[in-house]
Amino acid sequence: MEYDFASIEPKWRRFWQEQLTFKAQNQSAKPKYYVLDMFPYPSGSGLHVGHPLGYIASDIHARYKRHQGFNVLHPMGYDAFGLPAEQYAIQTGQHPSKTTNQNIKRYREQLDLIGFSFDWTRQVNTSNPEFYRWTQWIFVRLFHSWYNRLSDKAEPITTLIDHLERKGTQGLDAVADEHASFTASEWNAFSIKEQREMLLKFRLAYRAETIVNWCPGLGTVLANDEVVNGRSERGGFPVEQRKMKQWSLRITAYAQRLLDGLDTVDWSDSLKEIQRNWIGRSEGAELSFGVQNHDAQIHVFTTRPDTLFGATFMVLAPEHELVEHITTAGQQEDISSYQSYAKARSERERMSETKIITGAFTGAYAINPITKAAIPIWISDYVLASYGTGAVMAVPAGDQRDWDFATHFHLPITPVIQGQDVSEGADERKDGVMINSDFLNGLSVKEAIEEILKRVEEANIGYRKVNYKLRDAVFSRQRYWGEPFPVYYRDDIPFTIDEDKLPIVLPEINEFKPTEDGDPPLGRATHWNWDRDKGEVVENGKGFPLELSTMPGWAGSSWYFLRYMMDGDPAERQKLFVSPEAVEYWKQVDLYMGGAEHATGHLLYFRFWTKFLYDLGFLPFDEPAKKLINQGMIQAEDGQKMSKRHGNVVNPDDVVAEHGADALRLHEMFLGPIEMHKPWNTKGIEGVSKFLRKLWRLFHDGDIVDVSEDEPTKAELKTLHKCIQKVSEDLDRFAFNTPVSALMVAVNELTALKCNKRAVLEPLTVILSCHAPHIAEELWSRLGHPASISEEPWPEANPEFLKDDSLTYPVSINGKTRFHLELPSDMVKEEVEREVLSHEIAQKWLDGKTPKKVIVVIGRIVNVVV
RNA sequence: GCGGGUGUGGCGAAAUUGGUAGACGCGCUAGACUUAGGAUCUAGUGCCGCAAGGCGUGGGGGUUCGAGUCCCUCCACCCGCACCA
């Protein structure tokens, strides 16, 4: 009988499912190992062959670790809240939960076909109230926390209130919206509303009027990472900047720790660089400029305080709040028309037309705090309101954008470093000797920076500052299919709903569009899980409005890895998002597998929430994943992206039906290195199918199992141990393609040797079972073992069997002519090592002449210099 | 522009610390068995050459007895960021 995957594979999948073979135990004497995949969003189009690539690799690794005696946690779940289900609901009226559940069912069927060793008893679904209760709970904690720079961690808001009551803002170093300053008695005199408003400026989850990305096409705001080239990542609709009152998370408080943490994790350099870039740390100073005939102060951020004397003008972002105060009557018209021009210019235009130089003069002059010189204040949209202070001191000699602006508007350009050539453009050199800079003259750039910082700090007109590009993350979405905020309002001040009343279950609504009043879809809800009108959540029997936005898609995925750590005990699951015992046992994810496209989204929020929960003492670690592998994308055969739209989707179900799941697994791994993008190649799968059939024949004579108990020969043992060594080494370094080759070599060699010996085939089956678990399980049971093979000890490669009887060495003389010489390997080890043999041999070849130099590389090559 | 990565046969790719480049698979060629083969098996397959031999890891240079691997430089492609002061 030939290898019949169609009957064998489903049998074993059923077996694993019924026996709960892969159920992880929270109590175990074994060392733990946590292998996690980025869970999928269950979309309507189902899985294509690209999706399982990472799952197969992580599954191979999980199985390998089980063989090595680890207690492996390898779970799977669904990131189930999201836009497509809601868009579909708007079009068809079908409730998103229905669509989502259908899609989940379909995903599960597809995943089940591939033979993954997931522990499904722990699956999570972010749209399940049992799960999002805790997403809401974490939000409540964020709301009731602030970031204390002195302890460098998040603390309960009560410690802040306590401080304010006793000392006001004195001695306080907190991450906050603005630098507020008041005394304890002032604080205590504030009304409750004033106090609450002030606290919002400190909370890690806060609601504020901010400039946000508004997407009219989707009817919602978006976070920065959800906007690509001025368009929404989902749907590709244009996005505009708008000032709106929205919820945000104060991720900026964690900028430095998010940066530092990257040095402690084993992630790819490119991914770390993307995150570093996104966080965008730069060191410099914030300086204050006065305004002529005004009491206003303009704060600027600069990385080159040494060039202060070269600042010949000042530029504010068009939206800068001082613009309206300082603009002179004569310039009012110019400024207003420029502001409306800048406002109308879309983000996209602005990005694509960076060469066009525009701006307007306010008529006002800033006073250089050191020289007291007056310099004109302009506005231009090359200065971004969202970065730094929204204002720059323009140094046209050293900055190309400033140079362009100065040249265009005929503003002076003063070089401040000796030899700076500003005739054709800015000279952005970062070293040299200062000129035209009064007391800085003659100093090096480095010295000048120190000197000027000393002076501005003494004069209290500026201070050293580290600035980050990272912005706070907008956290509310005007959508239905997401976690409702556990928030209600009194007098427009947000209050959280008590933790013991969670979850706030998503209410049923009849239509998923925004309301006629422009409220989010939740405005249509009449029945929440409490009666809004009766106002159960608030005092005095009076109803208060609830927050109508929902959380963004990345809320649930920022902490889901913790929920998997919980086993099924319902009482424990009710107590906390993860039990202290479970998190203490499982700790960090040991291997996280997923796409690099989440670099600036999920992977940043995921780290942020972990650090936050660590600060509050819920976790014993502050980085979620020790090792991360970004699997590449599988493209269609033409190199295009596989998608429903292109009609080039290869469905794994079809591949499994035609070739079997093991062949699919082997083939996906065999395509190339896991991190690389590669096209799907249909033809190539024949190769691995052939391999499986050959393997099967090694164990069989016709229909019957034919395995010999004879002692293996040296050659057979060599083949086996070579293979064990290669597969083990490769899996240790997370290479998933080369073990397939090693297994193929072994099977080819054993076939040629006609080796059907148990002592060889058994260990071979074990090392095969990571990549091709179904056939391995079947062969294992045919060898007379009770199932399952999954925890069989991994065989050791014995170097004894890897030695060659004799080796042939190429020998070159003067690096040119080559001889080949055959030597017994023992001899090489003992003799060549001492360079004795090589001299003798060399002399033999050189007709008795003594070689000058003999280079010996043990076991490899001999080169002779005459 | 800045940052990260990649470049090896007709194709996907191996080569772990510098040590016989191209393992393994696809494709191709020839042969065997077959009524048949898109099944199976055997042999061959980097390029040029009848051969001896020569040339070969994007180009050029360097270090070394020896370089796909290390250094310098240039080129091409991919990914990320992009007026970040």
Side-chain angles (χ1 to χ4, degrees):
Chain A
M1 187 187 77
E2 278 288 289
Y3 167 51
D4 178 19
F5 62 82
S7 66
I8 289 166
E9 291 187 343
K11 180 174 90 188
W12 289 106
R13 290 199 285 265
R14 214 174 310 121
F15 175 87
W16 296 326
Q17 229 166 67
E18 283 164 5
Q19 302 295 313
L20 295 175
T21 308
F22 305 113
K23 184 163 168 36
Q25 300 299 329
N26 272 20
Q27 268 87 40
S28 169
K30 296 178 184 177
K32 71 94 191 184
Y33 202 88
Y34 188 177
V35 181
L36 181 65
D37 294 288
M38 289 185 190
F39 60 170
Y41 172 77
S43 87
S45 24
L47 295 173
H48 63 63
V49 291
H51 293 111
L53 182 76
Y55 304 156
I56 293 171
S58 62
D59 193 61
I60 288 167
H61 194 72
R63 286 175 181 270
Y64 178 52
K65 287 292 167 186
R66 276 189 206 100
H67 286 301
Q68 288 188 321
F70 287 90
N71 181 29
V72 173
L73 175 57
H74 186 37
M76 184 46 82
Y78 306 98
D79 188 13
F81 275 133
L83 232 41
E86 179 158 352
Q87 297 288 70
Y88 190 73
I90 292 170
Q91 286 160 24
T92 64
Q94 169 143 208
H95 196 284
S97 72
K98 201 177 163 193
T99 319
T100 303
N101 288 335
Q102 279 168 2
N103 293 347
I104 285 177
K105 198 163 156 267
R106 170 92 185 98
Y107 265 58
R108 179 63 193 274
E109 284 167 6
Q110 289 190 291
L111 289 170
D112 278 350
L113 278 180
I114 305 173
F116 294 121
S117 62
F118 294 133
D119 175 359
W120 283 107
T121 66
R122 294 173 186 248
Q123 79 168 297
V124 302
N125 172 339
T126 55
S127 70
N128 188 331
E130 198 263 348
F131 181 90
Y132 69 68
R133 164 190 182 178
W134 297 109
T135 311
Q136 294 173 334
W137 183 90
I138 293 170
F139 172 84
V140 172
R141 289 296 169 134
L142 283 160
F143 181 83
H144 292 290
S145 300
W146 64 295
Y147 201 91
N148 186 347
R149 279 217 183 90
L150 297 176
S151 60
D152 199 22
K153 62 174 196 165
E155 293 181 10
I157 199 84
T158 47
T159 66
L160 173 67
I161 295 172
D162 183 59
H163 186 111
L164 296 177
E165 281 173 353
R166 290 186 298 111
K167 301 181 196 159
T169 54
Q170 171 137 52
L172 184 70
D173 193 359
V175 180
D177 286 357
E178 61 196 61
H179 200 71
S181 178
F182 47 83
T183 64
S185 50
E186 282 171 325
W187 165 261
N188 292 323
F190 282 168
S191 70
I192 298 288
K193 180 171 172 158
E194 283 167 336
Q195 287 187 346
R196 282 260 164 182
E197 275 173 345
M198 183 55 71
L199 288 178
L200 264 187
K201 298 180 197 292
F202 292 86
R203 296 181 190 276
L204 294 186
Y206 62 98
R207 188 167 174 263
E209 183 103 334
T210 43
I211 296 169
V212 296
N213 305 299
W214 171 253
C215 178
L218 293 171
T220 184
V221 298
L222 298 170
N224 286 355
D225 66 280
E226 293 166 321
V227 182
V228 179
N229 289 330
R231 286 176 177 268
S232 65
E233 187 189 23
R234 291 264 185 194
F237 298 105
V239 170
E240 58 192 53
Q241 305 292 301
R242 251 205 210 182
K243 214 164 194 185
M244 290 175 82
K245 210 159 201 182
Q246 293 293 331
W247 283 96
S248 292
L249 299 189
R250 211 176 291 282
I251 188 173
T252 48
Y254 284 87
Q256 189 58 48
R257 283 170 64 191
L258 287 168
L259 216 44
D260 294 341
L262 290 173
D263 296 332
T264 71
V265 293
D266 182 8
W267 295 14
S268 77
D269 287 342
S270 85
L271 198 120
K272 287 186 188 181
E273 274 309 304
I274 292 171
Q275 289 210 344
R276 288 195 187 104
N277 218 302
W278 186 261
I279 295 167
R281 180 193 157 100
S282 55
E283 284 179 33
E286 190 167 310
L287 307 176
S288 304
F289 284 64
V291 180
Q292 210 167 44
N293 307 322
H294 243 280
D295 53 7
Q297 291 277 312
I298 300 176
H299 304 286
V300 300
F301 175 74
T302 176
T303 54
R304 295 292 302 273
D306 55 304
T307 62
L308 180 59
F309 291 87
T312 52
F313 58 101
M314 169 101 27
V315 188
L316 307 185
E319 308 91 324
H320 197 285
E321 57 182 14
L322 277 180
V323 175
E324 53 179 318
H325 297 118
I326 60 172
T327 301
T328 58
Q331 291 301 111
Q332 190 59 55
E333 210 183 315
D334 276 10
I335 290 293
S336 300
S337 78
Y338 185 76
Q339 281 177 322
S340 32
Y341 155 81
K343 203 172 174 184
R345 211 167 161 210
S346 73
E347 190 75 351
R348 236 181 128 68
E349 283 167 344
R350 204 164 132 157
M351 285 193 301
S352 58
E353 300 169 6
T354 57
K355 296 269 145 56
I356 300 172
I357 296 156
T358 58
F361 178 44
T362 60
Y365 289 82
I367 306 297
N368 184 319
I370 296 283
T371 65
K372 308 293 177 201
I375 55 176
I377 304 172
W378 288 67
I379 65 170
S380 172
D381 64 2
Y382 84 86
V383 173
L384 306 173
S386 58
Y387 182 75
T389 59
V392 303
M393 60 174 215
V395 183
D399 185 287
Q400 189 57 44
R401 295 153 304 172
D402 295 343
W403 189 92
D404 291 340
F405 194 83
T407 306
H408 189 262
F409 289 108
H410 308 292
L411 294 161
I413 301 173
T414 313
V416 285
I417 299 172
Q418 205 161 57
Q420 236 176 1
D421 176 8
V422 297
S423 55
E424 297 297 323
D427 186 340
E428 302 193 348
R429 66 176 74 184
K430 290 177 176 69
D431 45 40
V433 176
M434 305 305 298
I435 54 166
N436 296 333
S437 299
D438 193 2
F439 57 84
L440 296 180
N441 285 343
L443 297 180
S444 73
V445 166
K446 232 179 132 185
E447 291 163 343
I449 291 176
E450 283 312 306
E451 180 61 25
I452 191 85
L453 285 175
K454 209 180 94 198
R455 298 242 186 173
V456 298
E457 277 171 353
E458 275 167 14
N460 204 21
I461 49 174
Y463 54 96
R464 284 161 212 267
K465 190 179 180 185
V466 175
N467 210 24
Y468 300 91
K469 275 197 275 186
L470 185 69
R471 301 267 65 90
D472 279 344
V474 178
F475 196 64
S476 38
R477 299 290 182 274
Q478 289 64 49
R479 310 294 303 189
Y480 172 74
W481 192 228
E483 299 87 348
F485 278 75
V487 164
Y488 64 95
Y489 293 91
R490 273 191 292 187
D491 200 9
D492 203 34
I493 296 289
F495 288 79
T496 56
I497 288 161
D498 291 347
E499 288 173 6
D500 59 13
K501 291 213 169 67
L502 301 179
I504 304 306
V505 176
L506 197 53
E508 294 302 319
I509 55 175
N510 50 9
E511 226 191 318
F512 302 96
K513 284 190 283 210
T515 66
E516 281 70 27
D517 305 338
D519 275 340
L522 279 185
R524 297 177 182 276
T526 51
H527 296 83
W528 294 58
N529 68 335
W530 66 88
D531 190 325
R532 281 179 77 190
D533 298 324
K534 282 190 187 155
E536 260 181 50
V537 290
V538 294
E539 304 114 43
N540 302 332
K542 241 177 118 189
F544 288 94
L546 293 157
E547 173 61 52
L548 299 177
S549 301
T550 54
M551 299 185 198
W554 49 267
S557 60
S558 297
W559 74 278
Y560 75 114
F561 77 108
L562 296 165
R563 193 60 172 176
Y564 285 135
M565 295 177 183
M566 298 282 274
D567 54 22
D569 182 354
E572 281 293 311
R573 295 177 77 90
Q574 287 290 313
K575 279 193 215 156
L576 201 56
F577 64 101
V578 63
S579 73
E581 297 78 27
V583 80
E584 184 54 47
Y585 179 69
W586 292 110
K587 296 205 174 77
Q588 287 163 291
V589 173
D590 291 281
L591 173 64
Y592 196 25
M593 183 75 67
E597 67 274 18
H598 297 108
T600 54
H602 162 63
L603 286 172
L604 212 51
Y605 302 128
F606 172 63
R607 297 181 57 221
F608 162 39
W609 283 37
T610 301
K611 288 179 190 300
F612 169 69
L613 293 169
Y614 166 83
D615 285 354
L616 295 197
F618 292 108
L619 309 180
F621 50 83
D622 84 335
E623 280 292 339
K626 274 198 253 184
K627 177 160 183 78
L628 172 75
I629 294 180
N630 299 118
Q631 86 276 8
M633 222 180 345
I634 292 193
Q635 299 139 328
E637 282 186 88
D638 52 11
Q640 263 199 324
K641 200 172 166 176
M642 227 178 244
S643 75
K644 215 175 178 180
R645 192 166 1 124
H646 292 129
N648 54 10
V649 170
V650 181
N651 190 325
D653 306 17
D654 300 338
V655 180
V656 171
E658 198 176 339
H659 302 276
D662 285 336
L664 172 74
R665 293 170 62 107
L666 285 162
H667 182 55
E668 292 224 1
M669 292 302 100
F670 192 65
L671 280 174
I674 187 72
E675 309 87 350
M676 242 148 216
H677 296 318
K678 54 224 158 198
W680 177 258
N681 170 340
T682 308
K683 273 275 173 62
I685 200 165
E686 291 297 341
V688 292
S689 291
K690 215 182 280 178
F691 157 75
L692 290 172
R693 286 194 294 268
K694 271 192 196 169
L695 172 83
W696 182 263
R697 281 197 294 271
L698 271 181
F699 289 72
H700 293 83
D701 182 12
D703 284 357
I704 56 160
V705 179
D706 175 29
V707 175
S708 149
E709 305 295 331
D710 295 350
E711 281 295 306
T713 65
K714 238 178 150 180
E716 291 164 346
L717 285 171
K718 191 179 166 190
T719 293
L720 171 68
H721 285 267
K722 237 170 40 189
C723 184
I724 294 172
Q725 173 158 293
K726 178 79 175 136
V727 171
S728 312
E729 278 176 5
D730 288 350
L731 289 179
D732 282 337
R733 65 188 172 96
F734 302 94
F736 302 96
N737 52 336
T738 43
V740 183
S741 302
L743 289 161
M744 286 179 174
V745 171
V747 166
N748 287 347
E749 287 179 8
L750 294 175
T751 302
L753 293 165
K754 297 194 173 27
C755 172
N756 66 337
K757 292 169 187 163
R758 175 181 292 272
V760 171
L761 297 184
E762 274 192 356
L764 187 74
T765 307
V766 174
I767 63 170
L768 170 81
S769 72
C770 299
H771 279 76
H774 307 82
I775 192 172
E777 200 77 85
E778 175 70 20
L779 292 171
W780 191 246
S781 98
R782 286 179 179 231
L783 288 170
H785 296 284
S788 151
I789 196 173
S790 63
E791 298 199 6
E792 275 306 304
W794 190 258
E796 287 276 322
N798 186 343
E800 242 345 85
F801 302 122
L802 297 173
K803 276 203 284 185
D804 286 303
D805 285 340
S806 70
L807 292 166
T808 306
Y809 300 97
V811 178
S812 50
I813 295 183
N814 286 346
K816 267 265 174 187
T817 324
R818 281 166 149 183
F819 297 84
H820 285 268
L821 124 104
E822 200 164 297
L823 297 170
S825 60
D826 292 354
M827 200 170 169
V828 171
K829 264 227 149 32
E830 289 155 29
E831 305 293 322
V832 175
E833 236 169 47
R834 277 181 261 135
E835 298 195 19
V836 175
L837 179 72
S838 47
H839 269 88
E840 281 171 12
I841 289 164
Q843 285 184 31
K844 201 168 91 193
W845 273 330
L846 298 165
D847 297 325
K849 272 183 267 173
T850 309
K852 258 192 219 154
K853 193 175 165 192
V854 178
I855 291 106
V856 180
V857 178
I858 295 153
R860 305 304 298 181
I861 280 179
V862 181
N863 184 64
V864 183
V865 181
V866 183

